[in-house]
Amino acid sequence: MSGLPGKHIVLFICDQMQYMRQGRVDPLARTPNLDALADEGVFFDRFYCSNPQCSPSRMSLQTGLHPHEAGVMVIYGFGGHTGHLGPRHRTIAQVLKEHGYRTAYFGKSHFGYPLEKLGYEKGIERGGGSSLAVVDEEITRDATNFLASYDATEPLFLVISLHQPHPPFESVEPYIRSFDPEQMPIPPSFADDLAGKPEFQRKRRESPGGGVTRQQLRLEMAQYYSMITKVDELFGRVRHALEGRDLWNDSVIAFTSDHGDMMGGHGLRLKGTFPYEELFRVPLIIKAPGVAGGARTASLGVNVSLPRTLMELAGVEVPDDWPNRSVTDVVLRRAEGPEQVFMEHYGAYWGWHPFRMIVTRSYKYVYYYGPDEPAEELYDLQHDPREERNLAADTTYEDLKRRLKAKLELWWRTTDGRTFAYYESADFKRIDAATLVDDNELWAFT
């Protein structure tokens, strides 16, 4: 694809932000800079992450691959899994370098791989600290300092990756003053008794740190809002830096999150393990030169489609061996998105609960293929958007469930999905440990 006026590409990623906490969706949220981006771009209402854990989802944003395709199933190092991204799994940075782009990455990576190996030439990687707001300030400073001296005649692919609003949640001044904990709403699904759901969900809610009281939730929600407002502020600083170098108008800009947070939905907190919208549905706003702004789409999308979309919107000829997944036609208003999208989860610090999932415009079907097999979940997203009633055992929906499962299994087979036993085997887990890095350390490269 060529001929579009875009040139530079900027991908701005935050961590653990729900779709539903954007100013365009939630009247309590304070995201004026992101709202302004939506005025200039396309706002996605039904965009999903490939996996509700950092490393797998972030690798999808780099490779256009689902986690099981990339071999990055969990956060690296967990349960003996480190991932083994092979030579056939090229990243967006590697492809753009071949097209003459300069590539830079600032902030959190959580890949477990040196960023140089993933195609980045410059950057500073910063792990978390006692205050994520302070670390994110440093990340933004690193990026804006880089932009201040960048040769704008060279095409640039820039990734800025913040830690917020990931826990530990904190009260970010002065924004916390706008969010009184006593006034924070309790999610309607908080009272879900999880009846008819897989047993581990109730056990997780009853375990230390798995569930949440109303008082604790209100405080964490106020903190969460304040951290999101800080993310918005820092995005505004990046925009100002781009405008100062006359890079904003000539850039493809995307804002997204790697996954969400339960934030009290179904009485649960934090990330991972569950198939709910709170975790999988994430923000996506895209601005591209020559594309009319102010659009809002309900088309389905998943983040494996974002790398190719960014390249296409920038006029880059995408290699034939790159995954053919894109939402470019949606951004350009040429077509609706797909009829269904696919996602997955494997394991988290609170247990192995592998599942694969299909989401259509009306339904969500989840199949567990690990220790919980043959557990299933089926939700009518139109009539039960809170996902409180699991219809998997309702014989009225047997035909629908059969059809959704057939589509899900076809996707799994055609993308080389394997069994739980295979993913726990030594053959799958093998990795050259010398390639790994400590994500909690400061790491600069030039």
Side-chain angles (χ1 to χ4, degrees):
M1 179 178 178
S2 60
L4 291 175
K7 181 179 180 182
H8 310 292
I9 303 172
V10 179
L11 174 59
F12 194 103
I13 307 169
C14 66
D15 195 323
Q16 208 150 324
M17 179 177 170
Q18 294 178 330
Y19 151 84
M20 62 190 70
R21 303 303 171 196
Q22 300 176 89
R24 277 287 185 271
V25 182
D26 182 353
L28 287 181
R30 301 289 183 267
T31 57
N33 292 297
L34 294 177
D35 296 348
L37 178 66
D39 288 339
E40 299 177 56
V42 179
F43 184 96
F44 283 73
D45 278 307
R46 295 200 65 191
F47 194 75
Y48 293 84
C49 60
S50 65
N51 186 290
Q53 295 280 310
C54 295
S55 300
S57 181
R58 287 167 178 271
M59 197 57 78
S60 290
L61 289 170
Q62 294 295 314
T63 63
L65 297 171
H66 289 277
H68 71 275
E69 294 178 293
V72 182
M73 304 285 284
V74 296
I75 293 174
Y76 72 88
F78 174 60
H81 289 258
T82 50
H84 48 245
L85 194 67
R88 71 183 181 89
H89 300 154
R90 302 166 72 201
T91 69
I92 179 175
Q94 290 167 337
V95 171
L96 290 172
K97 278 179 65 177
E98 295 170 3
H99 284 79
Y101 274 71
R102 310 302 295 179
T103 58
Y105 193 112
F106 294 92
K108 175 178 180 176
S109 75
H110 220 285
F111 298 128
Y113 286 86
L115 287 173
E116 292 169 300
K117 183 178 179 181
L118 299 181
Y120 293 95
E121 302 167 303
K122 294 184 178 295
I124 300 175
E125 181 178 357
R126 291 185 183 272
S130 58
S131 169
L132 298 184
V134 170
V135 174
D136 285 351
E137 287 264 3
E138 295 169 343
I139 291 168
T140 305
R141 183 198 64 219
D142 294 336
T144 55
N145 286 346
F146 168 79
L147 287 169
S149 59
Y150 185 75
D151 181 357
T153 65
E154 295 188 277
L156 171 65
F157 174 49
L158 172 64
V159 179
I160 300 165
S161 177
L162 303 187
H163 291 266
Q164 296 178 97
H166 191 286
F169 302 120
E170 59 184 295
S171 300
V172 181
E173 292 286 355
Y175 303 120
I176 190 63
R177 302 173 198 174
S178 299
F179 305 106
D180 179 0
E182 296 302 318
Q183 301 301 316
M184 293 296 103
I186 299 296
S189 68
F190 181 84
D192 183 2
D193 62 6
L194 300 178
K197 313 288 184 72
E199 178 64 23
F200 78 86
Q201 295 189 16
R202 289 187 291 277
K203 290 182 177 179
R204 171 65 183 154
R205 187 168 65 185
E206 294 165 0
S207 67
V212 60
T213 66
R214 291 174 180 268
Q215 182 179 8
Q216 179 188 12
L217 175 58
R218 287 193 172 101
L219 174 58
E220 289 189 349
M221 188 170 289
Q223 294 173 320
Y224 192 63
Y225 276 119
S226 78
M227 296 172 83
I228 289 171
T229 307
K230 185 64 178 182
V231 168
D232 182 84
E233 177 206 323
L234 297 177
F235 177 83
R237 290 191 203 176
V238 172
R239 173 175 185 153
H240 181 73
L242 290 165
E243 289 175 332
R245 298 300 317 281
D246 292 325
L247 294 171
W248 178 261
N249 292 331
D250 195 29
S251 295
V252 176
I253 311 287
F255 172 84
T256 193
S257 178
D258 57 356
H259 54 78
D261 186 287
M262 287 308 300
M263 196 51 61
H266 307 274
L268 298 159
R269 65 192 295 269
L270 303 180
K271 63 181 177 182
T273 310
F274 313 111
Y276 296 121
E277 296 284 282
E278 288 90 345
L279 286 180
F280 277 92
R281 197 170 171 189
V282 294
L284 177 64
I285 309 172
I286 298 178
K287 178 197 81 73
V291 175
R296 188 163 177 170
T297 178
S299 293
L300 295 172
V302 66
N303 65 4
V304 295
S305 64
L306 189 53
R308 186 183 187 102
T309 299
L310 296 178
M311 290 188 282
E312 290 178 340
L313 291 173
V316 173
E317 185 175 347
V318 183
D320 293 337
D321 63 354
W322 188 267
N324 189 23
R325 298 158 179 162
S326 165
V327 290
T328 300
D329 284 345
V330 175
V331 175
L332 299 178
R333 281 78 140 185
R334 296 192 302 213
E336 288 294 317
E339 293 184 358
Q340 63 268 321
V341 290
F342 303 94
M343 290 145 275
E344 63 188 277
H345 173 266
Y346 191 73
Y349 292 104
W350 33 89
W352 300 110
H353 301 287
F355 62 76
R356 44 189 178 264
M357 178 167 77
I358 179 174
V359 173
T360 73
R361 292 167 186 170
S362 300
Y363 293 96
K364 173 184 291 183
Y365 172 72
V366 187
Y367 180 76
Y368 291 81
Y369 66 94
D372 303 298
E373 193 171 19
E376 299 172 290
E377 293 177 73
L378 174 66
Y379 299 105
D380 182 338
L381 297 177
Q382 288 189 328
H383 298 99
D384 179 27
R386 300 173 186 172
E387 301 172 282
E388 293 177 305
R389 185 185 174 202
N390 181 11
L391 302 171
D394 188 332
T395 56
T396 306
Y397 296 88
E398 193 61 36
D399 185 61
L400 170 66
K401 188 176 73 171
R402 177 185 56 77
R403 287 185 279 113
L404 292 176
K405 185 175 182 179
K407 291 181 178 181
L408 180 62
E409 296 309 301
L410 177 62
W411 166 74
W412 193 249
R413 290 195 304 272
T414 56
T415 55
D416 198 29
R418 306 290 187 90
T419 64
F420 178 67
Y422 171 76
Y423 293 128
E424 287 304 299
S425 69
D427 284 343
F428 181 78
K429 290 183 178 181
R430 69 178 185 273
I431 183 67
D432 178 7
T435 65
L436 301 179
V437 298
D438 185 347
D439 194 51
N440 290 317
E441 294 181 355
L442 174 65
W443 182 56
F445 55 106
T446 58

